Amino acid sequence: MDVIPLKTANRDSARAYTRRFHVMAKPGGAKCNIDCQYCFYLHKEALLHQPKQPQMDSDTLDAFIRSYIEGQDGDEITFSWQGGEPTLLGIDYFRQIVALQQKYCPPGSTIHNDLQTNGILLNDEWCHFLKEYGFLVGLSIDGPRDLHDKYRVTRSGKPTFDLVMAAVELLHRHQVPFNTLAVINRHNALYPLEVYRFLTRELGARYIQFTPCVEPKDFKRAAPQYWNDNMLPVIGSELSRPGHPMSIVTDWSVDPDDWGTFLTVVFEEWVNNDLGRVQVNLFETAVAQTMGYASQLCVTAEFCGKALAIEHDGNVFSCDHFVYPEYRLGNINQRPLSHMALSTRQEAFGMSKRDSLPDYCRKCDHLHLCWGECPKNRLIKSPDGEIGLNYLCPGIKSFFDYASPILVGIAHMLRKPVL
């Protein structure tokens, strides 16, 4: 498969030096044991022509682990395993992963692993393994029963809440550390306190990742930034929010205004009750950015491009959300990861996050906290018709209008010397 030239770059050469970069590994491809309606990845089976049982073979796995370790210049190296559902590969496959990591780990370096899972296949044996090798688990759960089961169902349409809660009990019993990832969609966005209090009070989560569900209707075919610009709606129009027959997004995508309300309500609860006790990814990084530090998340950073994705066949893509032929960088069996991660092509991809912002964003008071959010969500036009505005912009602005003074207060408090 040839590399398709990007609109923003026509050269592809490796740097003579290395920097830190991250790779989201999907050794089992898009295969999953549940059928979440809003999932942005299940369709990759067809798009990438994956086999019925995709699995990264031993040679490709060896090449990936070795190249990833060699490409890092720090003494702490983190592997992230996702899917699909990575536990479908089985424990023995992950024992092979750990053995290869130990084989290639340089003296003085430490390797960490995190595993994103729906939890359904976890059992005592899995938890023993995860605990033994220090895996950090990311557990996907969208809130209490009714909210979780709205979209997260089995292949036969049955609810999964009880299965996930069984996994929570196992993780607690075996003292396996876990974070929660909640996809905020059109439905559960209407219940911010119910979602947040469930995750913190009932599950005992101390680190929470909220991910807004935003999917253009043609996401199964059209790669991000390869949309028909003439079809992009203007901010505030009916077509720029879910529910309209001609909307730019799927019906399950979160409404921009609801996203802003969700963040505002949860932020207030977090500040009043859980500040310093619970970490919420979007709030923690907003505090850091208010203090003048770099963003801790790619979506709110000025630039992106340092978080790649590798598929089961060794193909490497610019980002987990850009696994389309247009964003393929090469294959691990032909090129070292560092050459792809630090290529001019990937640099152009990362720089375009800032460089392609419309003037509407550049003039915004909250630019330093948002930076246009994720480029995959830049689905609408600004009021004057300029392309490249983020679909979530109205909600993001309303949230920061509310939160910015409080963020400044938190930043001031954190800067005070401890007596």
Side-chain angles (χ1 to χ4, degrees):
M1 183 186 298
D2 294 331
V3 172
I4 300 174
L6 288 178
K7 296 179 179 180
T8 50
N10 53 23
R11 294 181 295 124
D12 192 2
S13 59
R15 295 290 191 183
Y17 51 86
T18 58
R19 295 173 177 169
R20 297 299 297 270
F21 61 92
H22 186 68
V23 176
M24 199 74 71
K26 298 172 179 290
K31 185 180 179 182
C32 191
N33 53 346
I34 65 174
D35 190 15
C36 303
Q37 185 177 357
Y38 58 58
C39 183
F40 74 97
Y41 224 83
L42 288 179
H43 77 283
K44 303 299 182 185
E45 290 179 324
L47 180 72
L48 303 180
H49 308 293
Q50 294 183 355
K52 293 285 186 182
Q53 302 293 330
Q55 178 174 305
M56 185 177 287
D57 62 45
S58 296
D59 290 342
T60 303
L61 184 65
D62 186 292
F64 163 58
I65 291 175
R66 175 174 49 80
S67 186
Y68 187 55
I69 291 174
E70 290 175 352
Q72 304 297 318
D73 61 2
D75 55 7
E76 294 203 9
I77 303 166
T78 300
F79 284 82
S80 296
W81 306 98
Q82 291 200 2
E85 176 49 48
T87 58
L88 286 168
L89 293 167
I91 294 178
D92 288 343
Y93 191 89
F94 277 86
R95 292 192 187 280
Q96 181 184 3
I97 286 172
V98 170
L100 288 170
Q101 290 173 339
Q102 293 172 344
K103 174 182 177 181
Y104 292 116
C105 184
S109 294
T110 302
I111 290 180
H112 304 281
N113 287 281
D114 56 67
L115 178 77
Q116 187 65 42
T117 176
N118 57 41
I120 290 175
L121 293 181
L122 295 185
N123 54 25
D124 288 323
E125 185 181 8
W126 261 111
C127 289
H128 279 302
F129 169 82
L130 296 170
K131 180 68 174 178
E132 179 182 1
Y133 291 102
F135 275 65
L136 173 64
V137 173
L139 188 68
S140 298
I141 186 165
D142 288 352
R145 182 185 303 276
D146 291 346
L147 301 181
H148 176 88
D149 286 339
K150 174 71 175 178
Y151 294 117
R152 299 188 66 82
V153 296
T154 66
R155 293 284 184 171
S156 59
K158 295 180 180 179
T160 62
F161 180 80
D162 288 336
L163 299 173
V164 180
M165 291 304 292
V168 171
E169 196 277 329
L170 279 167
L171 292 169
H172 279 306
R173 176 150 42 93
H174 289 274
Q175 298 182 323
V176 177
F178 72 94
N179 303 330
T180 60
L181 185 154
V183 176
I184 307 305
N185 51 69
R186 190 181 178 193
H187 183 63
N188 65 355
L190 303 177
Y191 305 92
L193 287 181
E194 288 87 343
V195 171
Y196 179 75
R197 289 174 178 172
F198 170 79
L199 296 177
T200 55
R201 288 158 173 71
E202 295 193 39
L203 262 60
R206 292 295 174 263
Y207 185 90
I208 299 170
Q209 179 180 347
F210 290 126
T211 300
C213 181
V214 180
E215 294 298 344
K217 282 186 175 175
D218 60 351
F219 76 97
K220 293 183 179 181
R221 299 178 300 276
Q225 309 300 325
Y226 282 82
W227 306 299
N228 183 344
D229 293 345
N230 295 325
M231 299 298 292
L232 301 182
V234 175
I235 183 175
S237 66
E238 289 185 349
L239 306 189
S240 66
R241 55 200 317 155
H244 191 280
M246 299 298 291
S247 172
I248 191 72
V249 296
T250 58
D251 286 343
W252 57 81
S253 293
V254 64
D255 182 273
D257 292 338
D258 291 342
W259 174 239
T261 301
F262 180 93
L263 291 177
T264 299
V265 172
V266 172
F267 181 76
E268 183 176 23
E269 174 81 359
W270 176 74
V271 168
N272 289 332
N273 298 297
D274 294 325
L275 184 62
R277 187 178 70 91
V278 175
Q279 291 180 293
V280 180
N281 64 335
L282 294 171
F283 303 159
E284 296 287 336
T285 194
V287 171
Q289 288 171 272
T290 301
M291 297 179 69
Y293 297 110
S295 172
Q296 301 166 356
L297 304 173
C298 59
V299 293
T300 54
E302 184 175 2
F303 308 104
C304 64
K306 289 193 175 181
L308 291 72
I310 185 168
E311 278 291 333
H312 77 287
D313 57 1
N315 281 326
V316 178
F317 297 85
S318 290
C319 171
D320 183 33
H321 287 277
F322 287 74
V323 177
Y324 292 83
E326 292 86 347
Y327 292 96
R328 178 180 173 272
L329 296 171
N331 191 285
I332 190 62
N333 293 303
Q334 280 105 41
R335 299 182 66 196
L337 268 173
S338 59
H339 285 213
M340 292 182 270
L342 306 173
S343 64
T344 302
R345 173 188 176 85
Q346 183 67 359
E347 180 183 6
F349 172 83
M351 295 290 286
S352 68
K353 183 179 192 295
R354 181 199 64 184
D355 296 345
S356 62
L357 286 171
D359 287 340
Y360 187 77
C361 289
R362 298 179 189 279
K363 296 174 182 177
C364 179
D365 292 338
H366 307 307
L367 176 63
H368 67 291
L369 296 173
C370 170
W371 289 110
E373 213 254 352
C374 183
K376 83 172 184 69
N377 295 334
R378 296 181 183 179
L379 300 167
I380 60 175
K381 297 177 181 177
S382 65
D384 62 1
E386 192 175 2
I387 64 171
L389 188 61
N390 197 290
Y391 165 85
L392 295 169
C393 177
I396 293 173
K397 287 189 71 172
S398 69
F399 167 64
F400 283 127
D401 284 344
Y402 167 81
S404 288
I406 303 173
L407 291 168
V408 171
I410 295 173
H412 178 72
M413 178 182 65
L414 292 174
R415 288 194 185 101
K416 281 186 176 181
V418 178
L419 300 179

